[in-house]
Tab-separated table of all heavy atoms in Angstrom:
chain	number	residue	atom	x	y	z
V	23	ALA	N	1.521	37.783	-13.737
V	23	ALA	CA	2.419	36.637	-13.537
V	23	ALA	C	2.505	36.262	-12.063
V	23	ALA	O	2.476	35.078	-11.697
V	23	ALA	CB	3.799	36.962	-14.092
V	24	ALA	N	2.596	37.265	-11.200
V	24	ALA	CA	2.689	37.010	-9.763
V	24	ALA	C	1.438	36.310	-9.250
V	24	ALA	O	1.508	35.377	-8.428
V	24	ALA	CB	2.908	38.329	-9.021
V	25	ILE	N	0.276	36.749	-9.739
V	25	ILE	CA	-0.998	36.132	-9.326
V	25	ILE	C	-1.078	34.692	-9.831
V	25	ILE	O	-1.484	33.778	-9.102
V	25	ILE	CB	-2.176	36.973	-9.842
V	25	ILE	CG1	-2.218	38.326	-9.111
V	25	ILE	CG2	-3.501	36.229	-9.685
V	25	ILE	CD1	-3.090	39.369	-9.784
V	26	LEU	N	-0.668	34.476	-11.067
V	26	LEU	CA	-0.736	33.131	-11.647
V	26	LEU	C	0.172	32.139	-10.927
V	26	LEU	O	-0.161	30.951	-10.824
V	26	LEU	CB	-0.386	33.187	-13.134
V	26	LEU	CG	-1.506	33.736	-14.024
V	26	LEU	CD1	-0.959	34.125	-15.397
V	26	LEU	CD2	-2.626	32.702	-14.166
V	27	ILE	N	1.310	32.608	-10.422
V	27	ILE	CA	2.187	31.720	-9.653
V	27	ILE	C	1.442	31.157	-8.447
V	27	ILE	O	1.531	29.956	-8.140
V	27	ILE	CB	3.462	32.461	-9.224
V	27	ILE	CG1	4.372	32.709	-10.438
V	27	ILE	CG2	4.213	31.686	-8.143
V	27	ILE	CD1	5.513	33.666	-10.169
V	28	GLU	N	0.688	31.999	-7.757
V	28	GLU	CA	-0.070	31.544	-6.580
V	28	GLU	C	-1.217	30.621	-6.983
V	28	GLU	O	-1.521	29.660	-6.273
V	28	GLU	CB	-0.600	32.750	-5.794
V	28	GLU	CG	0.481	33.702	-5.311
V	28	GLU	CD	1.580	32.999	-4.528
V	28	GLU	OE1	1.274	32.043	-3.771
V	28	GLU	OE2	2.754	33.390	-4.672
V	29	LYS	N	-1.841	30.894	-8.123
V	29	LYS	CA	-2.943	30.034	-8.575
V	29	LYS	C	-2.430	28.682	-9.068
V	29	LYS	O	-3.089	27.652	-8.873
V	29	LYS	CB	-3.735	30.742	-9.676
V	29	LYS	CG	-4.568	31.915	-9.178
V	29	LYS	CD	-5.602	32.280	-10.217
V	29	LYS	CE	-6.629	33.245	-9.663
V	29	LYS	NZ	-7.815	33.357	-10.532
V	30	LEU	N	-1.252	28.686	-9.687
V	30	LEU	CA	-0.690	27.436	-10.175
V	30	LEU	C	-0.372	26.486	-9.017
V	30	LEU	O	-0.456	25.256	-9.157
V	30	LEU	CB	0.571	27.717	-10.998
V	30	LEU	CG	1.237	26.533	-11.702
V	30	LEU	CD1	0.279	25.853	-12.666
V	30	LEU	CD2	2.487	26.998	-12.439
V	31	ALA	N	-0.051	27.054	-7.863
V	31	ALA	CA	0.297	26.233	-6.694
V	31	ALA	C	-0.868	25.363	-6.235
V	31	ALA	O	-0.650	24.304	-5.621
V	31	ALA	CB	0.767	27.134	-5.549
V	32	ILE	N	-2.107	25.767	-6.502
V	32	ILE	CA	-3.279	24.978	-6.078
V	32	ILE	C	-3.994	24.350	-7.271
V	32	ILE	O	-5.048	23.730	-7.113
V	32	ILE	CB	-4.269	25.846	-5.282
V	32	ILE	CG1	-4.814	27.004	-6.146
V	32	ILE	CG2	-3.624	26.373	-4.002
V	32	ILE	CD1	-6.005	27.727	-5.521
V	33	PHE	N	-3.427	24.485	-8.463
V	33	PHE	CA	-4.139	24.115	-9.686
V	33	PHE	C	-4.416	22.615	-9.783
V	33	PHE	O	-5.525	22.204	-10.138
V	33	PHE	CB	-3.359	24.611	-10.905
V	33	PHE	CG	-4.077	24.442	-12.212
V	33	PHE	CD1	-5.403	24.816	-12.357
V	33	PHE	CD2	-3.423	23.916	-13.317
V	33	PHE	CE1	-6.064	24.677	-13.565
V	33	PHE	CE2	-4.068	23.773	-14.533
V	33	PHE	CZ	-5.401	24.150	-14.655
V	34	ASP	N	-3.457	21.780	-9.469
V	34	ASP	CA	-3.688	20.335	-9.580
V	34	ASP	C	-4.785	19.877	-8.628
V	34	ASP	O	-5.589	18.993	-8.964
V	34	ASP	CB	-2.395	19.566	-9.331
V	34	ASP	CG	-1.457	19.599	-10.527
V	34	ASP	OD1	-1.911	19.968	-11.635
V	34	ASP	OD2	-0.264	19.276	-10.369
V	35	ASP	N	-4.836	20.473	-7.453
V	35	ASP	CA	-5.907	20.164	-6.508
V	35	ASP	C	-7.259	20.585	-7.099
V	35	ASP	O	-8.261	19.862	-6.960
V	35	ASP	CB	-5.647	20.899	-5.189
V	35	ASP	CG	-6.760	20.687	-4.181
V	35	ASP	OD1	-7.034	19.530	-3.840
V	35	ASP	OD2	-7.374	21.686	-3.743
V	36	GLU	N	-7.290	21.719	-7.789
V	36	GLU	CA	-8.537	22.181	-8.406
V	36	GLU	C	-8.948	21.282	-9.569
V	36	GLU	O	-10.143	21.042	-9.777
V	36	GLU	CB	-8.379	23.630	-8.863
V	36	GLU	CG	-8.274	24.615	-7.714
V	36	GLU	CD	-8.268	26.063	-8.179
V	36	GLU	OE1	-7.842	26.327	-9.332
V	36	GLU	OE2	-8.700	26.933	-7.408
V	37	ILE	N	-7.981	20.794	-10.340
V	37	ILE	CA	-8.306	19.872	-11.432
V	37	ILE	C	-8.970	18.609	-10.870
V	37	ILE	O	-9.965	18.108	-11.415
V	37	ILE	CB	-7.039	19.500	-12.234
V	37	ILE	CG1	-6.514	20.725	-12.990
V	37	ILE	CG2	-7.336	18.368	-13.215
V	37	ILE	CD1	-5.166	20.488	-13.670
V	38	GLU	N	-8.424	18.095	-9.783
V	38	GLU	CA	-9.017	16.924	-9.140
V	38	GLU	C	-10.452	17.200	-8.715
V	38	GLU	O	-11.351	16.372	-8.914
V	38	GLU	CB	-8.169	16.515	-7.938
V	38	GLU	CG	-8.641	15.256	-7.242
V	38	GLU	CD	-7.759	14.860	-6.075
V	38	GLU	OE1	-6.577	15.265	-6.042
V	38	GLU	OE2	-8.245	14.131	-5.188
V	39	ALA	N	-10.693	18.391	-8.140
V	39	ALA	CA	-12.042	18.755	-7.717
V	39	ALA	C	-12.974	18.889	-8.920
V	39	ALA	O	-14.132	18.440	-8.884
V	39	ALA	CB	-12.002	20.072	-6.933
V	40	ARG	N	-12.508	19.493	-10.002
V	40	ARG	CA	-13.338	19.626	-11.206
V	40	ARG	C	-13.767	18.254	-11.727
V	40	ARG	O	-14.915	18.057	-12.133
V	40	ARG	CB	-12.564	20.386	-12.282
V	40	ARG	CG	-12.427	21.884	-12.043
V	40	ARG	CD	-11.545	22.537	-13.110
V	40	ARG	NE	-11.431	23.968	-12.921
V	40	ARG	CZ	-12.283	24.878	-13.406
V	40	ARG	NH1	-13.315	24.476	-14.127
V	40	ARG	NH2	-12.098	26.163	-13.188
V	41	ASN	N	-12.848	17.299	-11.720
V	41	ASN	CA	-13.179	15.965	-12.212
V	41	ASN	C	-14.160	15.260	-11.284
V	41	ASN	O	-15.053	14.543	-11.758
V	41	ASN	CB	-11.903	15.145	-12.408
V	41	ASN	CG	-11.259	15.415	-13.754
V	41	ASN	OD1	-11.638	14.835	-14.761
V	41	ASN	ND2	-10.293	16.339	-13.781
V	42	ARG	N	-14.019	15.450	-10.006
V	42	ARG	CA	-14.968	14.867	-9.057
V	42	ARG	C	-16.373	15.459	-9.258
V	42	ARG	O	-17.382	14.725	-9.271
V	42	ARG	CB	-14.477	15.118	-7.625
V	42	ARG	CG	-15.346	14.489	-6.553
V	42	ARG	CD	-14.742	14.683	-5.183
V	42	ARG	NE	-14.675	16.101	-4.786
V	42	ARG	CZ	-13.561	16.791	-4.679
V	42	ARG	NH1	-12.391	16.238	-4.961
V	42	ARG	NH2	-13.584	18.061	-4.302
V	43	ILE	N	-16.434	16.767	-9.450
V	43	ILE	CA	-17.721	17.442	-9.642
V	43	ILE	C	-18.351	17.019	-10.965
V	43	ILE	O	-19.567	16.760	-11.053
V	43	ILE	CB	-17.525	18.971	-9.565
V	43	ILE	CG1	-17.193	19.375	-8.126
V	43	ILE	CG2	-18.750	19.716	-10.081
V	43	ILE	CD1	-16.565	20.749	-7.994
V	44	ALA	N	-17.537	16.913	-12.018
V	44	ALA	CA	-18.058	16.493	-13.315
V	44	ALA	C	-18.620	15.078	-13.253
V	44	ALA	O	-19.687	14.787	-13.823
V	44	ALA	CB	-16.965	16.588	-14.372
V	45	ALA	N	-17.917	14.181	-12.562
V	45	ALA	CA	-18.402	12.805	-12.435
V	45	ALA	C	-19.737	12.765	-11.703
V	45	ALA	O	-20.646	12.003	-12.073
V	45	ALA	CB	-17.361	11.954	-11.709
V	46	ARG	N	-19.883	13.586	-10.677
V	46	ARG	CA	-21.153	13.606	-9.933
V	46	ARG	C	-22.270	14.200	-10.791
V	46	ARG	O	-23.407	13.691	-10.766
V	46	ARG	CB	-20.984	14.410	-8.636
V	46	ARG	CG	-22.189	14.294	-7.710
V	46	ARG	CD	-21.901	14.857	-6.326
V	46	ARG	NE	-23.022	14.597	-5.430
V	46	ARG	CZ	-24.071	15.414	-5.277
V	46	ARG	NH1	-24.118	16.562	-5.959
V	46	ARG	NH2	-25.057	15.099	-4.462
V	47	TYR	N	-21.977	15.255	-11.557
V	47	TYR	CA	-22.968	15.788	-12.497
V	47	TYR	C	-23.473	14.668	-13.414
V	47	TYR	O	-24.678	14.507	-13.617
V	47	TYR	CB	-22.319	16.869	-13.366
V	47	TYR	CG	-22.605	18.306	-12.998
V	47	TYR	CD1	-21.628	19.283	-13.179
V	47	TYR	CD2	-23.847	18.717	-12.528
V	47	TYR	CE1	-21.864	20.624	-12.879
V	47	TYR	CE2	-24.104	20.054	-12.218
V	47	TYR	CZ	-23.107	21.002	-12.399
V	47	TYR	OH	-23.351	22.321	-12.101
V	48	SER	N	-22.545	13.923	-13.979
V	48	SER	CA	-22.924	12.887	-14.934
V	48	SER	C	-23.780	11.810	-14.279
V	48	SER	O	-24.735	11.304	-14.895
V	48	SER	CB	-21.673	12.271	-15.569
V	48	SER	OG	-21.009	13.234	-16.385
V	49	ASP	N	-23.473	11.453	-13.036
V	49	ASP	CA	-24.301	10.484	-12.321
V	49	ASP	C	-25.714	11.020	-12.094
V	49	ASP	O	-26.701	10.301	-12.273
V	49	ASP	CB	-23.662	10.140	-10.974
V	49	ASP	CG	-22.430	9.254	-11.104
V	49	ASP	OD1	-22.252	8.631	-12.171
V	49	ASP	OD2	-21.641	9.194	-10.139
V	50	LEU	N	-25.807	12.288	-11.707
V	50	LEU	CA	-27.114	12.881	-11.402
V	50	LEU	C	-27.963	13.088	-12.655
V	50	LEU	O	-29.198	13.041	-12.587
V	50	LEU	CB	-26.920	14.219	-10.684
V	50	LEU	CG	-26.330	14.165	-9.268
V	50	LEU	CD1	-25.940	15.565	-8.800
V	50	LEU	CD2	-27.321	13.533	-8.293
V	51	LEU	N	-27.319	13.311	-13.786
V	51	LEU	CA	-28.050	13.662	-15.012
V	51	LEU	C	-28.230	12.493	-15.972
V	51	LEU	O	-28.850	12.649	-17.021
V	51	LEU	CB	-27.323	14.805	-15.728
V	51	LEU	CG	-27.335	16.145	-14.995
V	51	LEU	CD1	-26.402	17.135	-15.674
V	51	LEU	CD2	-28.757	16.710	-14.919
V	52	LYS	N	-27.695	11.343	-15.611
V	52	LYS	CA	-27.795	10.168	-16.484
V	52	LYS	C	-29.265	9.854	-16.782
V	52	LYS	O	-30.103	9.827	-15.880
V	52	LYS	CB	-27.137	8.975	-15.811
V	52	LYS	CG	-27.001	7.737	-16.685
V	52	LYS	CD	-26.388	6.582	-15.911
V	52	LYS	CE	-25.024	6.935	-15.352
V	52	LYS	NZ	-24.400	5.803	-14.594
V	53	GLY	N	-29.562	9.659	-18.062
V	53	GLY	CA	-30.925	9.348	-18.462
V	53	GLY	C	-31.783	10.557	-18.757
V	53	GLY	O	-32.897	10.419	-19.291
V	54	HIS	N	-31.297	11.747	-18.407
V	54	HIS	CA	-32.061	12.972	-18.651
V	54	HIS	C	-31.507	13.763	-19.834
V	54	HIS	O	-32.259	14.324	-20.633
V	54	HIS	CB	-32.074	13.851	-17.399
V	54	HIS	CG	-32.709	13.211	-16.214
V	54	HIS	ND1	-34.084	13.109	-16.060
V	54	HIS	CD2	-32.160	12.614	-15.111
V	54	HIS	CE1	-34.361	12.492	-14.920
V	54	HIS	NE2	-33.207	12.191	-14.327
V	55	VAL	N	-30.190	13.820	-19.936
V	55	VAL	CA	-29.501	14.515	-21.031
V	55	VAL	C	-28.302	13.665	-21.439
V	55	VAL	O	-27.901	12.740	-20.716
V	55	VAL	CB	-29.022	15.924	-20.603
V	55	VAL	CG1	-30.192	16.855	-20.326
V	55	VAL	CG2	-28.095	15.833	-19.393
V	56	ALA	N	-27.709	13.977	-22.582
V	56	ALA	CA	-26.461	13.327	-22.990
V	56	ALA	C	-25.314	14.037	-22.289
V	56	ALA	O	-25.036	15.212	-22.550
V	56	ALA	CB	-26.301	13.381	-24.500
V	57	THR	N	-24.652	13.330	-21.385
V	57	THR	CA	-23.582	13.928	-20.591
V	57	THR	C	-22.256	13.872	-21.357
V	57	THR	O	-22.105	13.096	-22.299
V	57	THR	CB	-23.449	13.211	-19.238
V	57	THR	OG1	-23.268	11.808	-19.469
V	57	THR	CG2	-24.712	13.421	-18.404
V	58	PRO	N	-21.277	14.690	-20.968
V	58	PRO	CA	-20.014	14.762	-21.714
V	58	PRO	C	-19.258	13.438	-21.730
V	58	PRO	O	-19.321	12.654	-20.779
V	58	PRO	CB	-19.215	15.835	-20.965
V	58	PRO	CG	-20.232	16.625	-20.213
V	58	PRO	CD	-21.323	15.671	-19.869
V	59	VAL	N	-18.542	13.230	-22.820
V	59	VAL	CA	-17.741	12.016	-23.004
V	59	VAL	C	-16.257	12.389	-22.992
V	59	VAL	O	-15.830	13.243	-23.769
V	59	VAL	CB	-18.090	11.322	-24.335
V	59	VAL	CG1	-17.157	10.143	-24.587
V	59	VAL	CG2	-19.551	10.885	-24.344
V	60	VAL	N	-15.502	11.768	-22.108
V	60	VAL	CA	-14.049	11.917	-22.092
V	60	VAL	C	-13.455	10.584	-22.544
V	60	VAL	O	-13.598	9.581	-21.848
V	60	VAL	CB	-13.523	12.295	-20.696
V	60	VAL	CG1	-12.001	12.450	-20.728
V	60	VAL	CG2	-14.173	13.584	-20.211
């Protein structure tokens, strides 16, 4: 629980980074594979 409290403090920033990385993956892979749909 103590560890998760510290991780939760940066979690929204990490979610933003995950979405940025996913969007770039999809741009790079367009036309080669079927990329994820949200």
Side-chain angles (χ1 to χ4, degrees):
I25 292 164
L26 284 164
I27 289 168
E28 302 307 323
K29 289 197 168 194
L30 185 59
I32 62 168
F33 187 47
D34 283 345
D35 177 58
E36 291 186 333
I37 292 173
E38 184 179 337
R40 286 175 178 273
N41 276 277
R42 183 175 64 250
I43 290 162
R46 189 169 186 271
Y47 259 146
S48 293
D49 287 342
L50 292 169
L51 293 171
K52 188 182 302 180
H54 299 282
V55 293
T57 55
V59 174
V60 180

